[in-house]
Amino acid sequence: MAKDTKKPRDGGTGGDTDVATKTKTVTKKPNLYRVLMLNDDYTPMEFVVHVVMRFFQKNHDEAHQIMLHVHNHGVGECGVFTYEIAETKVTQVMDFALKNQHPLQCVMEKK
């Protein structure tokens, strides 16, 4: 019996060669969303301060400044978060305002 001596088509030696490749994973930063509070003529200022302190972990002075900005400019930023966190915070604020019978509005927008 004759031994099969075919050469590989690429002209190589026919030996097994392993090539080590290093794959670099590039992670993309998540999109960020601004959580905004909208002014209305009915929600008490102290309730807005309470909401900002409770749901956005601001101290009283920071919450008061945000409330004044909302009052004077019609809208104010409470924080910047990833989509899921921003969505959760908007829902929490809206539910809390509704539960307390205030028309306070909170929205999110892509930064």
PDB file of all heavy atoms in Angstrom, residues 13-39:
ATOM      1  N   THR A  13       3.216  23.147   4.336  1.00  0.00           N
ATOM      2  CA  THR A  13       3.830  21.871   4.680  1.00  0.00           C
ATOM      3  C   THR A  13       2.804  20.849   5.121  1.00  0.00           C
ATOM      4  O   THR A  13       3.131  19.683   5.274  1.00  0.00           O
ATOM      5  CB  THR A  13       4.856  22.070   5.810  1.00  0.00           C
ATOM      6  OG1 THR A  13       4.168  22.604   6.938  1.00  0.00           O
ATOM      7  CG2 THR A  13       5.974  22.991   5.375  1.00  0.00           C
ATOM      8  N   GLY A  14       1.604  21.265   5.371  1.00  0.00           N
ATOM      9  CA  GLY A  14       0.563  20.340   5.775  1.00  0.00           C
ATOM     10  C   GLY A  14       0.497  20.132   7.272  1.00  0.00           C
ATOM     11  O   GLY A  14      -0.328  19.392   7.751  1.00  0.00           O
ATOM     12  N   GLY A  15       1.342  20.752   8.031  1.00  0.00           N
ATOM     13  CA  GLY A  15       1.310  20.622   9.482  1.00  0.00           C
ATOM     14  C   GLY A  15       0.232  21.503  10.075  1.00  0.00           C
ATOM     15  O   GLY A  15      -0.185  22.491   9.492  1.00  0.00           O
ATOM     16  N   ASP A  16      -0.260  21.104  11.232  1.00  0.00           N
ATOM     17  CA  ASP A  16      -1.268  21.914  11.910  1.00  0.00           C
ATOM     18  C   ASP A  16      -0.586  23.076  12.619  1.00  0.00           C
ATOM     19  O   ASP A  16       0.365  22.876  13.369  1.00  0.00           O
ATOM     20  CB  ASP A  16      -2.035  21.090  12.937  1.00  0.00           C
ATOM     21  CG  ASP A  16      -2.971  20.096  12.283  1.00  0.00           C
ATOM     22  OD1 ASP A  16      -3.381  20.360  11.138  1.00  0.00           O
ATOM     23  OD2 ASP A  16      -3.289  19.071  12.912  1.00  0.00           O
ATOM     24  N   THR A  17      -1.057  24.273  12.339  1.00  0.00           N
ATOM     25  CA  THR A  17      -0.527  25.449  13.021  1.00  0.00           C
ATOM     26  C   THR A  17      -1.684  26.206  13.644  1.00  0.00           C
ATOM     27  O   THR A  17      -2.707  26.418  13.015  1.00  0.00           O
ATOM     28  CB  THR A  17       0.223  26.392  12.060  1.00  0.00           C
ATOM     29  OG1 THR A  17      -0.649  26.775  11.020  1.00  0.00           O
ATOM     30  CG2 THR A  17       1.458  25.726  11.491  1.00  0.00           C
ATOM     31  N   ASP A  18      -1.537  26.558  14.885  1.00  0.00           N
ATOM     32  CA  ASP A  18      -2.549  27.340  15.591  1.00  0.00           C
ATOM     33  C   ASP A  18      -2.065  28.771  15.686  1.00  0.00           C
ATOM     34  O   ASP A  18      -0.919  29.016  16.056  1.00  0.00           O
ATOM     35  CB  ASP A  18      -2.789  26.798  16.995  1.00  0.00           C
ATOM     36  CG  ASP A  18      -3.469  25.442  16.981  1.00  0.00           C
ATOM     37  OD1 ASP A  18      -4.246  25.205  16.036  1.00  0.00           O
ATOM     38  OD2 ASP A  18      -3.222  24.638  17.903  1.00  0.00           O
ATOM     39  N   VAL A  19      -2.939  29.678  15.317  1.00  0.00           N
ATOM     40  CA  VAL A  19      -2.612  31.091  15.409  1.00  0.00           C
ATOM     41  C   VAL A  19      -3.400  31.675  16.575  1.00  0.00           C
ATOM     42  O   VAL A  19      -4.619  31.583  16.614  1.00  0.00           O
ATOM     43  CB  VAL A  19      -2.970  31.834  14.106  1.00  0.00           C
ATOM     44  CG1 VAL A  19      -2.679  33.311  14.240  1.00  0.00           C
ATOM     45  CG2 VAL A  19      -2.224  31.235  12.940  1.00  0.00           C
ATOM     46  N   ALA A  20      -2.696  32.233  17.511  1.00  0.00           N
ATOM     47  CA  ALA A  20      -3.350  32.849  18.662  1.00  0.00           C
ATOM     48  C   ALA A  20      -3.748  34.272  18.287  1.00  0.00           C
ATOM     49  O   ALA A  20      -2.917  35.060  17.840  1.00  0.00           O
ATOM     50  CB  ALA A  20      -2.419  32.869  19.860  1.00  0.00           C
ATOM     51  N   THR A  21      -5.037  34.553  18.425  1.00  0.00           N
ATOM     52  CA  THR A  21      -5.503  35.904  18.166  1.00  0.00           C
ATOM     53  C   THR A  21      -6.090  36.464  19.440  1.00  0.00           C
ATOM     54  O   THR A  21      -6.740  35.757  20.204  1.00  0.00           O
ATOM     55  CB  THR A  21      -6.573  35.939  17.057  1.00  0.00           C
ATOM     56  OG1 THR A  21      -7.665  35.122  17.457  1.00  0.00           O
ATOM     57  CG2 THR A  21      -6.018  35.450  15.737  1.00  0.00           C
ATOM     58  N   LYS A  22      -5.843  37.707  19.662  1.00  0.00           N
ATOM     59  CA  LYS A  22      -6.366  38.378  20.844  1.00  0.00           C
ATOM     60  C   LYS A  22      -7.485  39.308  20.389  1.00  0.00           C
ATOM     61  O   LYS A  22      -7.259  40.191  19.572  1.00  0.00           O
ATOM     62  CB  LYS A  22      -5.266  39.166  21.536  1.00  0.00           C
ATOM     63  CG  LYS A  22      -5.654  39.703  22.882  1.00  0.00           C
ATOM     64  CD  LYS A  22      -4.450  40.313  23.578  1.00  0.00           C
ATOM     65  CE  LYS A  22      -4.844  40.745  24.974  1.00  0.00           C
ATOM     66  NZ  LYS A  22      -3.710  41.295  25.701  1.00  0.00           N
ATOM     67  N   THR A  23      -8.666  39.078  20.895  1.00  0.00           N
ATOM     68  CA  THR A  23      -9.805  39.913  20.541  1.00  0.00           C
ATOM     69  C   THR A  23      -9.986  40.972  21.612  1.00  0.00           C
ATOM     70  O   THR A  23     -10.091  40.658  22.790  1.00  0.00           O
ATOM     71  CB  THR A  23     -11.097  39.057  20.447  1.00  0.00           C
ATOM     72  OG1 THR A  23     -10.859  37.997  19.545  1.00  0.00           O
ATOM     73  CG2 THR A  23     -12.253  39.897  19.987  1.00  0.00           C
ATOM     74  N   LYS A  24     -10.021  42.211  21.183  1.00  0.00           N
ATOM     75  CA  LYS A  24     -10.220  43.315  22.116  1.00  0.00           C
ATOM     76  C   LYS A  24     -11.694  43.683  22.126  1.00  0.00           C
ATOM     77  O   LYS A  24     -12.267  43.986  21.088  1.00  0.00           O
ATOM     78  CB  LYS A  24      -9.381  44.516  21.704  1.00  0.00           C
ATOM     79  CG  LYS A  24      -9.424  45.647  22.703  1.00  0.00           C
ATOM     80  CD  LYS A  24      -8.486  46.766  22.320  1.00  0.00           C
ATOM     81  CE  LYS A  24      -8.554  47.874  23.357  1.00  0.00           C
ATOM     82  NZ  LYS A  24      -7.677  48.976  23.013  1.00  0.00           N
ATOM     83  N   THR A  25     -12.285  43.634  23.302  1.00  0.00           N
ATOM     84  CA  THR A  25     -13.690  43.991  23.452  1.00  0.00           C
ATOM     85  C   THR A  25     -13.787  45.479  23.745  1.00  0.00           C
ATOM     86  O   THR A  25     -13.159  45.980  24.670  1.00  0.00           O
ATOM     87  CB  THR A  25     -14.332  43.199  24.605  1.00  0.00           C
ATOM     88  OG1 THR A  25     -14.143  41.812  24.350  1.00  0.00           O
ATOM     89  CG2 THR A  25     -15.808  43.495  24.714  1.00  0.00           C
ATOM     90  N   VAL A  26     -14.560  46.154  22.924  1.00  0.00           N
ATOM     91  CA  VAL A  26     -14.769  47.585  23.121  1.00  0.00           C
ATOM     92  C   VAL A  26     -16.150  47.762  23.728  1.00  0.00           C
ATOM     93  O   VAL A  26     -17.147  47.389  23.130  1.00  0.00           O
ATOM     94  CB  VAL A  26     -14.662  48.351  21.788  1.00  0.00           C
ATOM     95  CG1 VAL A  26     -14.921  49.829  21.995  1.00  0.00           C
ATOM     96  CG2 VAL A  26     -13.306  48.123  21.158  1.00  0.00           C
ATOM     97  N   THR A  27     -16.185  48.303  24.921  1.00  0.00           N
ATOM     98  CA  THR A  27     -17.476  48.539  25.561  1.00  0.00           C
ATOM     99  C   THR A  27     -17.903  49.977  25.318  1.00  0.00           C
ATOM    100  O   THR A  27     -17.097  50.907  25.382  1.00  0.00           O
ATOM    101  CB  THR A  27     -17.402  48.281  27.083  1.00  0.00           C
ATOM    102  OG1 THR A  27     -16.352  49.067  27.629  1.00  0.00           O
ATOM    103  CG2 THR A  27     -17.153  46.815  27.379  1.00  0.00           C
ATOM    104  N   LYS A  28     -19.167  50.125  25.020  1.00  0.00           N
ATOM    105  CA  LYS A  28     -19.722  51.438  24.741  1.00  0.00           C
ATOM    106  C   LYS A  28     -20.378  51.972  26.009  1.00  0.00           C
ATOM    107  O   LYS A  28     -21.091  51.246  26.696  1.00  0.00           O
ATOM    108  CB  LYS A  28     -20.766  51.307  23.625  1.00  0.00           C
ATOM    109  CG  LYS A  28     -21.403  52.593  23.219  1.00  0.00           C
ATOM    110  CD  LYS A  28     -22.448  52.352  22.147  1.00  0.00           C
ATOM    111  CE  LYS A  28     -23.323  53.567  21.996  1.00  0.00           C
ATOM    112  NZ  LYS A  28     -24.517  53.293  21.232  1.00  0.00           N
ATOM    113  N   LYS A  29     -20.126  53.221  26.308  1.00  0.00           N
ATOM    114  CA  LYS A  29     -20.772  53.827  27.475  1.00  0.00           C
ATOM    115  C   LYS A  29     -22.274  53.929  27.212  1.00  0.00           C
ATOM    116  O   LYS A  29     -22.688  54.242  26.095  1.00  0.00           O
ATOM    117  CB  LYS A  29     -20.197  55.213  27.755  1.00  0.00           C
ATOM    118  CG  LYS A  29     -18.785  55.181  28.273  1.00  0.00           C
ATOM    119  CD  LYS A  29     -18.331  56.565  28.673  1.00  0.00           C
ATOM    120  CE  LYS A  29     -16.921  56.501  29.233  1.00  0.00           C
ATOM    121  NZ  LYS A  29     -16.441  57.807  29.667  1.00  0.00           N
ATOM    122  N   PRO A  30     -23.083  53.676  28.246  1.00  0.00           N
ATOM    123  CA  PRO A  30     -24.528  53.756  28.037  1.00  0.00           C
ATOM    124  C   PRO A  30     -24.975  55.205  27.819  1.00  0.00           C
ATOM    125  O   PRO A  30     -24.344  56.140  28.305  1.00  0.00           O
ATOM    126  CB  PRO A  30     -25.115  53.204  29.341  1.00  0.00           C
ATOM    127  CG  PRO A  30     -24.042  53.403  30.351  1.00  0.00           C
ATOM    128  CD  PRO A  30     -22.737  53.305  29.609  1.00  0.00           C
ATOM    129  N   ASN A  31     -26.061  55.354  27.089  1.00  0.00           N
ATOM    130  CA  ASN A  31     -26.639  56.689  26.899  1.00  0.00           C
ATOM    131  C   ASN A  31     -27.143  57.203  28.236  1.00  0.00           C
ATOM    132  O   ASN A  31     -27.630  56.440  29.068  1.00  0.00           O
ATOM    133  CB  ASN A  31     -27.796  56.634  25.900  1.00  0.00           C
ATOM    134  CG  ASN A  31     -27.316  56.333  24.505  1.00  0.00           C
ATOM    135  OD1 ASN A  31     -26.247  56.772  24.099  1.00  0.00           O
ATOM    136  ND2 ASN A  31     -28.094  55.578  23.771  1.00  0.00           N
ATOM    137  N   LEU A  32     -27.043  58.495  28.421  1.00  0.00           N
ATOM    138  CA  LEU A  32     -27.508  59.106  29.668  1.00  0.00           C
ATOM    139  C   LEU A  32     -28.750  59.937  29.403  1.00  0.00           C
ATOM    140  O   LEU A  32     -28.935  60.487  28.316  1.00  0.00           O
ATOM    141  CB  LEU A  32     -26.400  59.974  30.270  1.00  0.00           C
ATOM    142  CG  LEU A  32     -25.152  59.207  30.713  1.00  0.00           C
ATOM    143  CD1 LEU A  32     -24.095  60.182  31.228  1.00  0.00           C
ATOM    144  CD2 LEU A  32     -25.479  58.174  31.770  1.00  0.00           C
ATOM    145  N   TYR A  33     -29.593  60.016  30.428  1.00  0.00           N
ATOM    146  CA  TYR A  33     -30.866  60.726  30.329  1.00  0.00           C
ATOM    147  C   TYR A  33     -31.001  61.692  31.496  1.00  0.00           C
ATOM    148  O   TYR A  33     -30.697  61.348  32.635  1.00  0.00           O
ATOM    149  CB  TYR A  33     -32.034  59.726  30.338  1.00  0.00           C
ATOM    150  CG  TYR A  33     -32.054  58.886  29.089  1.00  0.00           C
ATOM    151  CD1 TYR A  33     -31.220  57.782  28.951  1.00  0.00           C
ATOM    152  CD2 TYR A  33     -32.876  59.226  28.029  1.00  0.00           C
ATOM    153  CE1 TYR A  33     -31.216  57.033  27.789  1.00  0.00           C
ATOM    154  CE2 TYR A  33     -32.889  58.480  26.865  1.00  0.00           C
ATOM    155  CZ  TYR A  33     -32.048  57.389  26.755  1.00  0.00           C
ATOM    156  OH  TYR A  33     -32.047  56.659  25.596  1.00  0.00           O
ATOM    157  N   ARG A  34     -31.453  62.896  31.177  1.00  0.00           N
ATOM    158  CA  ARG A  34     -31.713  63.919  32.186  1.00  0.00           C
ATOM    159  C   ARG A  34     -33.123  63.717  32.723  1.00  0.00           C
ATOM    160  O   ARG A  34     -34.059  63.535  31.957  1.00  0.00           O
ATOM    161  CB  ARG A  34     -31.616  65.311  31.568  1.00  0.00           C
ATOM    162  CG  ARG A  34     -30.262  65.631  30.989  1.00  0.00           C
ATOM    163  CD  ARG A  34     -30.277  66.899  30.162  1.00  0.00           C
ATOM    164  NE  ARG A  34     -30.581  68.039  31.009  1.00  0.00           N
ATOM    165  CZ  ARG A  34     -31.147  69.158  30.575  1.00  0.00           C
ATOM    166  NH1 ARG A  34     -31.468  69.303  29.314  1.00  0.00           N
ATOM    167  NH2 ARG A  34     -31.381  70.143  31.404  1.00  0.00           N
ATOM    168  N   VAL A  35     -33.274  63.756  34.026  1.00  0.00           N
ATOM    169  CA  VAL A  35     -34.601  63.709  34.636  1.00  0.00           C
ATOM    170  C   VAL A  35     -34.964  65.148  34.973  1.00  0.00           C
ATOM    171  O   VAL A  35     -34.252  65.832  35.713  1.00  0.00           O
ATOM    172  CB  VAL A  35     -34.624  62.813  35.891  1.00  0.00           C
ATOM    173  CG1 VAL A  35     -35.994  62.863  36.558  1.00  0.00           C
ATOM    174  CG2 VAL A  35     -34.270  61.382  35.512  1.00  0.00           C
ATOM    175  N   LEU A  36     -36.072  65.606  34.376  1.00  0.00           N
ATOM    176  CA  LEU A  36     -36.495  66.998  34.506  1.00  0.00           C
ATOM    177  C   LEU A  36     -37.821  67.101  35.235  1.00  0.00           C
ATOM    178  O   LEU A  36     -38.729  66.297  35.017  1.00  0.00           O
ATOM    179  CB  LEU A  36     -36.637  67.617  33.111  1.00  0.00           C
ATOM    180  CG  LEU A  36     -35.425  67.517  32.198  1.00  0.00           C
ATOM    181  CD1 LEU A  36     -35.773  67.976  30.797  1.00  0.00           C
ATOM    182  CD2 LEU A  36     -34.272  68.331  32.759  1.00  0.00           C
ATOM    183  N   MET A  37     -37.925  68.097  36.077  1.00  0.00           N
ATOM    184  CA  MET A  37     -39.174  68.388  36.761  1.00  0.00           C
ATOM    185  C   MET A  37     -39.775  69.630  36.115  1.00  0.00           C
ATOM    186  O   MET A  37     -39.062  70.595  35.823  1.00  0.00           O
ATOM    187  CB  MET A  37     -38.922  68.616  38.245  1.00  0.00           C
ATOM    188  CG  MET A  37     -40.162  68.461  39.067  1.00  0.00           C
ATOM    189  SD  MET A  37     -39.769  68.207  40.801  1.00  0.00           S
ATOM    190  CE  MET A  37     -38.986  66.617  40.773  1.00  0.00           C
ATOM    191  N   LEU A  38     -41.089  69.587  35.886  1.00  0.00           N
ATOM    192  CA  LEU A  38     -41.778  70.689  35.225  1.00  0.00           C
ATOM    193  C   LEU A  38     -42.574  71.499  36.238  1.00  0.00           C
ATOM    194  O   LEU A  38     -43.175  70.954  37.165  1.00  0.00           O
ATOM    195  CB  LEU A  38     -42.709  70.146  34.139  1.00  0.00           C
ATOM    196  CG  LEU A  38     -42.063  69.202  33.119  1.00  0.00           C
ATOM    197  CD1 LEU A  38     -43.107  68.698  32.133  1.00  0.00           C
ATOM    198  CD2 LEU A  38     -40.918  69.873  32.399  1.00  0.00           C
ATOM    199  N   ASN A  39     -42.614  72.798  36.027  1.00  0.00           N
ATOM    200  CA  ASN A  39     -43.340  73.692  36.930  1.00  0.00           C
ATOM    201  C   ASN A  39     -44.837  73.622  36.672  1.00  0.00           C
ATOM    202  O   ASN A  39     -45.294  73.393  35.555  1.00  0.00           O
ATOM    203  CB  ASN A  39     -42.853  75.128  36.733  1.00  0.00           C
ATOM    204  CG  ASN A  39     -43.399  76.060  37.782  1.00  0.00           C
ATOM    205  OD1 ASN A  39     -43.507  75.702  38.943  1.00  0.00           O
ATOM    206  ND2 ASN A  39     -43.746  77.270  37.383  1.00  0.00           N
TER     207      ASN A  39
END
